[in-house]
Amino acid sequence: MITGELKSQIDQIWNTFWTGGISNTITIVEQLTYLIFIKDLDETETRNERMAKRLDKTFKPIFGDNQQDFRWKNLKEMDVNERHAIFGNTVDGIFPFIRSLGKEKSLFSTYMKGATFGISKPAVLDQVMEKLERIDMTNQDTKGDIYEYLLSKLEGGGTAGQFRTPRHIIKLMVELMKPTLEDSICDPSAGTAGFLVSAKEYIDKHYDVTELDKRNEHINKTMFNGTEFDATMLRIACMNLYLHGVEEPNIVDVDAVSKDNEVSNAYTLVLANPPFKGTIDKESIAPGLKNVTNTTKTELLFLALMLRQLKTGGRAAVIVPDGVLFGSGKAHKSIREEIIANHKLEAVISMPSGVFKPYAGVSTAIIIFTKTGSGGTDNVWFYDMLADGKSLDDKRNVLVDEELFDAFSYGEGLKLEELAEAHDKFNLPDILARYPNRNSEVERSRNRTEQSFTVPFKELKENDWDLSINRYKEIVYEQVEYDAPSEILDRIRKISNDRNELMSQLSKIN
């Protein structure tokens, strides 16, 4: 969540656009995104140059010899009018350069064709760049927070449930699924590609350069996939993945649950946070999805879509609103039965309602399942996440040591006692530690009064496939002992006598 100084800095940039005559919200969001992308390109180039020098290796530069003027570090030193001319040059300026970054006829180059410069006044560009320069965006979270805040300004933003997933929740899901170089990963509601970027970061962290080079073609073209029908989001997603080393991300411009999306049996891993609410016209829904759950609710149709798009043996980690877990409607029950009875439901991780604040207070859960087509659910692991490391109010302040919070997903240099001490405020390390052992005797023998426990298939079936953790969790009530009524009455009489005596003394004073 963007707060304090960063929020103030973005508001100042926003006001610069407004006072400069640019009031269209979408235009401001797009132009800021392009400038952030250009700044990121230069930072990426600088990192590559340093690494190449340190390792004495060559690398493929982003900027050619005749494109050095396009680097942020050089642009910011230019005369105001000279810089504006480079941005506005429609033949060999910065924007033609951006559009040429992707391979010819790639989806990246297709979506970036719509990228045009929209800041007509040199002074406005100068002020915006000056203010952007003051923002430290080396942390990926900062860029994510900026995108979240910018998107919240879009008219109607969030009305269909499109809220940015907190980065630490994304990291948790990626760590639980442990993507490999063999995976083909998809997010059918890609947005700004946060899940795909996090999966790429995980891959980069867990494989050496030699292994990555061997699968370079797969990484660049077929490993990272998604669908998104918002033009602005498409460009942001493509730029985001490009900056993380995916040259030709396969982000398709299509309404994921419509007839136009015909992809099936294509992916081995789905990571997603589909829209929490919203409907689609019945006539537009892909027929195969209606066979699984006859509804117009997008949160249910997306689950049916994931089952269709996964290969047999493919896995999914998906955020769903609580209503999906216990809804009593026929459509809700049918999608739950499909996942539990016909495939393999692995886990349900209940999350506190404050995770998506301040934009939404809805309770959610992460469900993890494997496509089998032949059942396989035996015991489902439930975890009651009570604390995600941040305050559950609108401020969403980090409650634990920043280093612990940032490094939990990789367990870098963290001591067990540190994790134990932080547990009451930060359950994510505990989830990562327990999930791989969810089928162990230790986990299966845990009481239902504890944060994690298992529920057998038979019990789920008997409860109409209900997946609400509150259906199965047992609550222990502490016995409170009260004093005998006679003792309480004696205390009341004494207080009353003391009061009467004080009143008598006050009367004598008068």
Side-chain angles (χ1 to χ4, degrees):
M1 170 56 192
I2 190 168
T3 56
E5 184 181 355
L6 183 57
K7 181 177 182 295
S8 175
Q9 288 173 310
I10 298 302
D11 284 341
Q12 289 175 27
I13 293 173
W14 197 270
N15 289 333
T16 300
F17 278 106
W18 271 81
T19 55
I22 302 173
S23 57
N24 184 290
T25 305
I26 293 178
T27 301
I28 297 174
V29 170
E30 285 195 304
Q31 294 304 309
L32 265 177
T33 300
Y34 298 145
L35 290 173
I36 291 170
F37 180 58
I38 291 164
K39 189 171 187 287
D40 272 350
L41 282 175
D42 185 38
E43 289 172 356
T44 301
E45 186 86 324
T46 300
R47 283 195 301 271
N48 290 340
E49 287 171 342
R50 288 173 180 166
M51 187 177 294
K53 186 175 181 180
R54 188 170 67 249
L55 302 176
D56 195 24
K57 286 187 175 182
T58 59
F59 74 99
K60 182 182 177 182
I62 299 171
F63 300 89
D65 292 338
N66 61 341
Q67 296 163 336
Q68 293 300 304
D69 282 348
F70 300 163
R71 298 186 65 169
W72 185 272
K73 67 178 184 180
N74 296 326
L75 285 166
K76 67 182 183 181
E77 301 299 330
M78 290 181 185
D79 173 77
V80 174
N81 293 312
E82 180 187 1
R83 178 199 300 140
H84 190 267
I86 290 176
F87 271 93
N89 189 326
T90 58
V91 178
D92 52 10
I94 288 181
F95 275 77
F97 162 69
I98 291 175
R99 292 194 291 269
S100 71
L101 287 174
K103 298 289 195 320
E104 188 178 355
K105 295 183 180 179
S106 69
L107 288 174
F108 179 91
S109 61
T110 299
Y111 300 140
M112 293 310 292
K113 283 179 181 176
T116 55
F117 184 52
I119 304 175
S120 60
K121 298 178 181 179
V124 173
L125 175 63
D126 182 55
Q127 291 174 46
V128 171
M129 286 188 63
E130 181 185 345
K131 289 179 171 67
L132 274 178
E133 179 63 19
R134 298 174 193 164
I135 302 175
D136 180 7
M137 286 184 278
T138 53
N139 187 328
Q140 184 66 20
D141 268 346
T142 303
K143 282 176 280 191
D145 287 340
I146 291 172
Y147 284 143
E148 177 185 82
Y149 187 54
L150 290 176
L151 297 177
S152 73
K153 289 177 175 286
L154 290 175
E155 186 177 354
T159 56
Q162 303 104 323
F163 300 103
R164 174 178 172 260
T165 312
R167 184 167 169 79
H168 62 297
I169 299 299
I170 292 177
K171 287 168 69 177
L172 170 69
M173 293 167 66
V174 170
E175 282 285 331
L176 289 170
M177 303 313 288
K178 300 186 183 304
T180 73
L181 281 173
E182 306 303 316
D183 278 315
S184 293
I185 307 168
C186 178
D187 179 355
S189 51
T192 59
F195 279 100
L196 299 177
V197 165
S198 186
K200 177 60 164 59
E201 290 175 336
Y202 181 95
I203 293 290
D204 289 343
K205 187 81 177 180
H206 288 80
Y207 292 90
D208 61 36
V209 176
T210 303
E211 291 173 299
L212 294 171
D213 285 345
K214 286 179 182 177
R215 301 308 306 274
N216 189 57
E217 184 82 3
H218 174 53
I219 291 170
N220 279 325
K221 293 185 177 180
T222 58
M223 187 173 195
F224 299 98
N225 310 272
T227 53
E228 178 58 55
F229 59 85
D230 183 282
T232 301
M233 294 299 98
L234 280 166
R235 284 194 280 271
I236 292 174
C238 287
M239 287 187 282
N240 206 359
L241 283 163
Y242 188 93
L243 288 168
H244 285 83
V246 183
E247 293 182 8
E248 299 179 62
N250 186 38
I251 309 294
V252 181
D253 181 8
V254 69
D255 187 341
V257 295
S258 72
K259 295 176 180 177
D260 298 328
N261 186 9
E262 299 178 347
V263 177
S264 62
N265 300 309
Y267 310 119
T268 62
L269 177 59
V270 167
L271 295 161
N273 177 19
F276 289 174
K277 57 183 179 178
T279 58
I280 183 173
D281 181 68
K282 267 190 175 182
E283 301 304 315
S284 302
I285 301 171
L289 305 186
K290 288 191 287 187
N291 294 339
V292 177
T293 177
N294 191 9
T295 182
T296 59
K297 294 181 180 295
T298 54
E299 67 266 31
L300 302 180
L301 291 169
F302 266 98
L303 290 172
L305 172 71
M306 293 168 196
L307 288 171
R308 190 190 78 188
Q309 292 192 327
L310 282 170
K311 294 180 180 180
T312 300
R315 305 159 297 139
V318 189
I319 296 175
V320 297
D322 269 7
V324 172
L325 304 179
F326 58 76
S328 58
K330 186 177 179 181
H332 286 83
K333 289 181 182 179
S334 63
I335 191 63
R336 294 198 301 264
E337 180 178 1
E338 176 68 21
I339 293 172
I340 300 168
N342 298 331
H343 301 281
K344 183 175 175 58
L345 179 62
E346 308 279 358
V348 177
I349 301 170
S350 174
M351 295 194 287
S353 59
V355 166
F356 286 92
K357 281 190 174 181
Y359 302 109
V362 64
S363 294
T364 57
I366 301 167
I367 61 172
I368 300 174
F369 58 88
T370 301
K371 178 179 177 177
T372 65
S374 57
T377 302
D378 47 11
N379 289 279
V380 176
W381 186 71
F382 282 78
Y383 192 100
D384 191 10
M385 184 199 297
L386 301 174
D388 72 334
K390 291 188 173 185
S391 62
L392 297 174
D393 54 17
D394 286 356
K395 293 182 179 180
R396 295 290 279 147
N397 296 321
V398 177
L399 300 177
V400 294
D401 181 80
E402 291 278 357
E403 184 180 351
L404 173 67
F405 186 79
D406 290 339
F408 83 90
S409 61
Y410 304 123
E412 294 177 345
L414 301 180
K415 297 178 181 179
L416 291 177
E417 55 266 30
E418 288 178 314
L419 297 176
E421 287 174 8
H423 177 74
D424 288 345
K425 298 176 182 177
F426 194 34
N427 296 164
L428 275 59
D430 189 49
I431 294 171
L432 286 175
R434 292 185 180 279
Y435 178 77
N437 304 308
R438 62 192 178 281
N439 293 316
S440 68
E441 187 60 35
V442 173
E443 281 297 313
R444 291 195 180 189
S445 63
R446 281 168 70 85
N447 295 324
R448 294 192 184 180
T449 55
E450 301 186 73
Q451 271 188 275
S452 66
F453 55 86
T454 59
V455 178
F457 173 87
K458 182 181 178 183
E459 190 174 349
L460 296 172
K461 184 177 181 180
E462 289 171 349
N463 282 286
D464 260 345
W465 314 107
D466 193 316
L467 293 175
S468 170
I469 194 167
N470 293 327
R471 166 75 72 169
Y472 308 103
K473 185 165 185 172
E474 296 175 5
I475 300 173
V476 177
Y477 296 97
E478 290 186 13
Q479 185 174 351
V480 179
E481 293 187 5
Y482 296 97
D483 292 336
S486 58
E487 293 180 19
I488 296 173
L489 285 170
D490 285 343
R491 286 201 297 272
I492 292 174
R493 290 191 191 99
K494 184 179 184 305
I495 292 171
S496 180
N497 291 335
D498 290 344
R499 182 176 66 86
N500 291 335
E501 186 178 340
L502 286 170
M503 289 180 66
S504 175
Q505 291 175 3
L506 285 171
S507 297
K508 291 176 182 179
I509 293 173
N510 288 336

